[in-house]
Amino acid sequence: MTSPYDYDIVILNVPWSDLSVPFSAPAVLKGIAESHGYKAKTIDFNVDLYTNFCDQEDEKYTQVQEYYMTYTKDKPKIINEFYDYIIATLKKYKFRYLGISVFYILSQKATYELCNRVREDMPETKIVLGGKGLGVYNHLSLGPYLSEDEKKLRFDRLMAEKDLSDFFILGDAEDAIIDLLSGKLDDTAGEISNWFVPQKDNLEYPFANFDDYKLDQYIEKNEQVQIPIISSKGCVRRCDFCDVPSQFKKFQSKNGKRMAEEMLHLADKYNIQKFTMADSIANGNLKALIEFAGIIAKHNRHSPEHKKIKWSSNWIHRPVGQLTEAAFKLIAESGAEHFTVGAEHFSDNVLKSMGKKTNMAGLMHELALFQKYGVQCSINQIIGHWSERYDDFMEHIDHLIKLGPYFTNDTITFIKAHLFYIMSNTPAAMNSEKTGLEMLDDDFSLAWYTAKNPNLTLKPRLARYYFMIVLARYLKYPLDQRSFQIKNHIHRLQESLPRAMKLFNSKVNQNQFEPCKIFANIENIEAYAESKLQEFFQDTTVKLKFKSNSYRGDPVLFVNINGKQALEKSFTQGTHEITLDMKYDYVYNNKIEIGMKGKNKKYDTMVDKEGNIMQDKNIELEAIEIDSVNVLDYPQYFNENAKFIVDGKPTEPKYGFWHNGSTTLEFEAPFWRHLQGKKTLENYALKDKYDFEQNLNQFKNFFTRIEY
């Protein structure tokens, strides 16, 4: 019998403000549905919005992003036109179910508005909602639509109460979708029992199917596209600020061979070699990760450059010793390009309270490996954790300053900093015996208090966040734009402040709140940074890597540091590495002179009849490393700032010595800071699109006026 439907299910991806990579869930579910004989179509309306309605203009899309992320009903005209387009597109097809993937809280507003439109224009449509964004409370962006009672509802329960969905799948939809399409869930539509699907013991599902995706539009936006791949679900940690444990009761992982097979299959099918693992962590199962890395590394070794696999993921840093250097080298060889590291905090005390099961020694160990093997990373930070005392925060700040060389050598590409909000479904909220937390909001709450750390009221939390941002900007650390939506924080503060003050006023009789200690440093952040730079970076090393050629004797290399001879030595034929100690001068500029002497221009070079050099006495520089930064990796800086002398006369930039001469670098201490200031940081330009400076000042004015 011929089906009256074009498709058994149409699955949508609504906007959630990211165009760097397509969302994976619809493609995964399409692959599973079709493997069971059902017809499925996926539509990525997120990229459609950017391409067809924002005319591929970032400024227009930024306005849309801000609407979906902020507390406002001032809907841009373009969004209503966009919903008209979605409805018109859906009416082209006949289908049994409409699935909407609510990826995250940033998808809630679009989902809420779209479901209202579907109910109005296509009332017979059976709507199915799934995704992580169902299981959390309403994002602040939904506030203007809701009553005070509705704001207390979890998003899935809100949608059920308003009859905006017929089915809810929270958990492993990979199995639930087949139950849905086979009709097993028809009699339980909307019931609580249907809101959570238990996890299976493995993730051995059919490969994802991206056939319906407009991958070319992502390529046009980003020059290249990354295909998401799911290698695991859940997390091996139970960090107290995170809601992943409430969504996934256990950690699941594909075996390494299966992960590699799917990645290679998708690479071959779509001729795309860049991937991102859409997991909470990629290194939860180290055995599977190493097996995967071994297979992909072998593929890369036997493939031309344009066919080599590249991938990125989320990452947890582990204690020293859990991942060997050999294993990490293999991971790098498998094409690992970038890890988003859940560092969260740089105080071991706070890390312990969070339940991170690691420490700063583990992070520093892994950062050194990242640098050595050319893997970049970004660093997540959480400011104002319930356990964070003043000394913990200042320790965090001091470590942030110490990380400067890693920002300069591009090992750390940017930082993401978040205010600590309480979510009711996290271990921190549910384990009040340990944390002492009290909260007046149901989720994403700033209105919280703990007797375990009574002086961490709202004012010091906000002041610390401000301090960290200003310090990072002063040091020219790149900041992730989406993490620094100061305007959004202000909206949230305005909404939360009355309840927060009510909470803190109730504690006045129980506590004598101390003055906000951080305020002593607020007006002197730059001075604080400069004093710590001098404290932490008193010394450095100068590492040279070079090739020596020894025709008619060995060349002599000399190095002078701040006017004193540090080295004068001949070097035999071959490649050499040397390390010299250097003490920084913070009063005067620092100077490093590297040069060669002892060459006889007439006799120490052999040329043929045509004048071609056959043999020579020379030194070819391969690396000049200061503060773990190779100056030669920044040729523009090197060429413009170094002074090149040959036979006593200025000359053009040279990366070595073929005649007697020298190369001199002069700079303010510490070197990494000097070079950081010279770099062009694309991710650093925040204020243009986001009025960052204005919003930051508004944020400061806001928290300086509040009482607690």
Side-chain angles (χ1 to χ4, degrees):
M1 182 177 176
T2 304
S3 171
Y5 300 105
D6 300 319
Y7 299 99
D8 293 290
I9 189 168
V10 172
I11 309 171
L12 312 183
N13 180 26
V14 297
W16 74 283
S17 78
D18 193 342
L19 292 170
S20 60
V21 60
F23 183 49
S24 63
V28 171
L29 296 178
K30 176 181 173 71
I32 292 170
E34 292 185 341
S35 73
H36 284 75
Y38 296 104
K39 293 180 291 184
K41 182 174 182 61
T42 58
I43 308 176
D44 186 2
F45 283 117
N46 185 42
V47 73
D48 258 3
L49 174 60
Y50 175 79
T51 302
N52 297 320
F53 289 87
C54 298
D55 304 319
Q56 301 187 23
E57 295 180 12
D58 290 342
E59 186 174 349
K60 288 184 179 179
Y61 194 71
T62 296
Q63 294 175 357
V64 172
Q65 286 179 300
E66 290 198 346
Y67 171 73
Y68 282 128
M69 296 169 68
T70 56
Y71 189 99
T72 179
K73 290 181 75 172
D74 298 330
K75 187 185 300 181
K77 180 183 177 183
I78 194 173
I79 290 180
N80 283 324
E81 295 173 351
F82 175 57
Y83 292 147
D84 291 340
Y85 166 72
I86 292 178
I87 296 298
T89 302
L90 292 176
K91 286 183 175 181
K92 295 178 181 179
Y93 308 108
K94 294 180 179 180
F95 48 87
R96 294 167 57 201
Y97 299 99
L98 175 65
I100 300 177
S101 182
V102 190
F103 172 76
Y104 194 46
I105 54 176
L106 299 182
S107 305
Q108 289 182 352
K109 197 172 192 177
T111 301
Y112 181 89
E113 293 176 335
L114 180 58
C115 287
N116 272 289
R117 284 293 307 270
V118 172
R119 283 290 197 242
E120 292 173 7
D121 297 315
M122 305 173 68
E124 301 302 315
T125 301
K126 293 182 179 180
I127 300 174
V128 187
L129 298 183
K132 293 190 293 184
L134 286 179
V136 296
Y137 285 78
N138 306 309
H139 188 247
L140 192 66
S141 63
L142 279 172
Y145 292 102
L146 309 177
S147 68
E148 290 302 315
D149 287 339
E150 288 172 338
K151 291 178 183 178
K152 298 177 182 178
L153 296 174
R154 208 170 69 178
F155 186 66
D156 51 359
R157 301 181 192 279
L158 171 74
M159 298 296 283
E161 197 164 283
K162 289 183 170 292
D163 191 31
L164 292 177
S165 182
D166 301 285
F167 298 90
F168 302 87
I169 300 174
L170 185 59
D172 283 351
E174 290 90 341
D175 293 313
I177 189 171
I178 303 305
D179 289 342
L180 174 77
L181 297 178
S182 66
K184 291 182 180 179
L185 302 184
D186 285 353
D187 295 334
T188 60
E191 293 182 6
I192 301 293
S193 61
N194 187 36
W195 289 23
F196 187 83
V197 180
Q199 289 180 267
K200 290 185 68 175
D201 291 331
N202 65 70
L203 297 177
E204 308 304 320
Y205 296 106
F207 297 155
N209 186 324
F210 291 90
D211 289 356
D212 296 333
Y213 280 62
K214 299 176 181 178
L215 298 177
D216 58 319
Q217 293 185 5
Y218 285 94
I219 295 174
E220 192 170 352
K221 163 64 177 167
N222 302 288
E223 296 185 357
Q224 54 187 340
V225 66
Q226 301 179 70
I227 292 181
I229 187 168
I230 297 173
S231 66
S232 68
K233 287 187 177 183
C235 187
V236 295
R237 302 268 170 83
R238 293 294 183 265
C239 303
D240 73 350
F241 56 83
C242 183
D243 63 348
V244 168
S246 69
Q247 299 174 28
F248 302 99
K249 303 302 180 183
K250 60 184 177 181
F251 177 73
Q252 304 161 283
S253 174
K254 294 178 182 176
N255 65 63
K257 184 173 181 292
R258 181 72 173 182
M259 290 160 53
E261 287 174 346
E262 181 166 7
M263 189 173 285
L264 293 172
H265 165 78
L266 294 173
D268 181 66
K269 184 176 183 180
Y270 300 109
N271 194 29
I272 292 172
Q273 279 67 47
K274 288 182 71 73
F275 294 85
T276 182
M277 292 188 181
D279 309 342
S280 297
I281 52 172
N283 59 332
N285 184 336
L286 291 179
K287 180 181 177 182
L289 177 61
I290 294 169
E291 182 184 25
F292 156 82
I295 296 171
I296 300 299
K298 182 179 180 180
H299 165 84
N300 284 348
R301 284 193 291 269
H302 295 88
S303 299
E305 192 63 34
H306 70 284
K307 289 293 184 180
K308 290 182 178 180
I309 297 293
K310 303 290 184 182
W311 60 277
S312 59
S313 74
N314 293 318
W315 185 270
I316 55 170
H317 67 90
R318 292 172 172 271
V320 177
Q322 290 192 0
L323 187 67
T324 66
E325 181 172 345
F328 193 87
K329 181 175 182 290
L330 187 67
I331 292 169
E333 291 172 349
S334 73
E337 287 189 306
H338 187 277
F339 295 136
T340 299
V341 181
E344 317 320 350
H345 212 278
F346 302 148
S347 161
D348 284 353
N349 292 332
V350 176
L351 290 173
K352 184 177 180 180
S353 297
M354 287 178 168
K356 293 292 293 182
K357 298 183 178 180
T358 187
N359 51 33
M360 276 300 294
L363 176 63
M364 298 308 295
H365 174 72
E366 292 193 355
L367 284 175
L369 290 176
F370 292 164
Q371 179 188 341
K372 184 174 181 178
Y373 293 106
V375 178
Q376 295 181 316
C377 69
S378 56
I379 301 291
N380 287 339
Q381 299 180 310
I382 295 175
I383 305 300
H385 183 262
W386 67 266
S387 71
E388 181 190 87
R389 303 183 186 275
Y390 174 77
D391 289 345
D392 295 323
F393 175 73
M394 298 314 297
E395 182 182 359
H396 176 90
I397 288 297
D398 288 353
H399 275 298
L400 185 61
I401 296 171
K402 293 176 183 178
L403 292 178
Y406 289 108
F407 287 94
T408 302
N409 64 34
D410 291 327
T411 298
I412 303 177
T413 55
F414 58 88
I415 56 177
K416 295 181 179 180
H418 309 271
L419 269 167
F420 179 65
Y421 291 90
I422 298 291
M423 295 187 289
S424 60
N425 58 342
T426 59
M430 294 185 289
N431 190 5
S432 58
E433 182 176 338
K434 174 187 175 184
T435 64
L437 282 165
E438 301 176 46
M439 49 193 288
L440 292 185
D441 289 343
D442 289 301
D443 222 345
F444 289 94
S445 176
L446 282 167
W448 58 264
Y449 167 85
T450 175
K452 303 285 187 177
N453 193 6
N455 290 307
L456 190 63
T457 51
L458 183 58
K459 189 168 187 170
R461 285 183 255 147
L462 301 180
R464 291 174 189 181
Y465 186 75
Y466 173 85
F467 187 104
M468 195 285 307
I469 294 173
V470 174
L471 177 98
R473 286 172 63 78
Y474 178 68
L475 296 174
K476 293 184 169 54
Y477 294 172
L479 307 174
D480 179 65
Q481 293 181 357
R482 288 180 298 154
S483 299
F484 290 87
Q485 292 290 321
I486 301 297
K487 185 186 297 185
N488 206 23
H489 284 312
I490 294 172
H491 286 307
R492 186 171 290 176
L493 286 165
Q494 290 170 334
E495 172 72 9
S496 300
L497 188 61
R499 295 188 295 280
M501 292 300 101
K502 178 181 177 182
L503 176 63
F504 296 131
N505 281 326
S506 71
K507 302 299 178 182
V508 170
N509 294 330
Q510 304 173 29
N511 300 277
Q512 186 65 44
F513 296 127
E514 295 179 2
C516 185
K517 291 184 180 180
I518 194 68
F519 266 74
N521 297 317
I522 282 289
E523 302 302 329
N524 300 291
I525 296 175
E526 294 182 5
Y528 181 89
E530 290 297 334
S531 68
K532 290 297 180 178
L533 286 170
Q534 295 191 33
E535 178 183 344
F536 299 148
F537 298 96
Q538 297 183 15
D539 312 290
T540 189
T541 57
V542 180
K543 297 182 180 180
L544 303 178
K545 184 177 180 180
F546 55 93
K547 181 181 179 183
S548 173
N549 292 300
S550 301
Y551 177 66
R552 291 178 56 87
D554 300 327
V556 176
L557 179 76
F558 68 88
V559 181
N560 298 322
I561 297 177
N562 288 337
K564 296 181 179 179
Q565 187 180 85
L567 177 76
E568 185 171 325
K569 181 181 176 181
S570 61
F571 288 88
T572 58
Q573 181 91 21
T575 299
H576 304 271
E577 292 187 33
I578 59 171
T579 299
L580 304 170
D581 294 327
M582 178 178 180
K583 185 173 181 61
Y584 275 129
D585 190 331
Y586 281 89
V587 178
Y588 303 101
N589 279 352
N590 293 264
K591 186 182 292 184
I592 299 174
E593 182 185 15
I594 306 166
M596 184 181 77
K597 63 172 55 175
K599 179 173 182 176
N600 187 307
K601 291 191 295 183
K602 184 175 181 180
Y603 297 107
D604 292 346
T605 302
M606 178 190 290
V607 297
D608 61 18
K609 294 180 180 180
E610 284 75 33
N612 300 310
I613 296 176
M614 305 299 292
Q615 294 189 60
D616 198 11
K617 179 189 291 186
N618 60 41
I619 291 174
E620 300 175 41
L621 292 172
E622 296 180 2
I624 306 173
E625 191 175 291
I626 312 167
D627 289 342
S628 301
V629 180
N630 182 9
V631 184
L632 302 188
D633 287 342
Y634 303 91
Q636 183 175 351
Y637 165 80
F638 185 65
N639 295 341
E640 292 178 354
N641 290 272
K643 296 179 180 179
F644 303 91
I645 304 294
V646 171
D647 294 330
K649 298 178 181 180
T651 187
E652 296 296 316
K654 305 287 185 183
Y655 286 67
F657 308 100
W658 288 263
H659 302 279
N660 296 324
S662 65
T663 297
T664 303
L665 275 171
E666 190 171 345
F667 54 90
E668 296 178 0
F671 176 76
W672 69 263
R673 175 86 194 290
H674 171 74
L675 184 56
Q676 183 78 355
K678 301 289 185 182
K679 292 175 61 182
T680 301
L681 303 172
E682 296 179 359
N683 290 330
Y684 182 66
L686 294 165
K687 60 182 180 181
D688 51 349
K689 293 182 182 179
Y690 292 88
D691 298 322
F692 192 82
E693 295 292 347
Q694 179 181 342
N695 291 328
L696 188 61
N697 290 331
Q698 187 180 351
F699 181 76
K700 181 184 179 183
N701 292 334
F702 185 95
F703 72 74
T704 53
R705 293 196 303 268
I706 65 177
E707 187 173 359
Y708 302 114

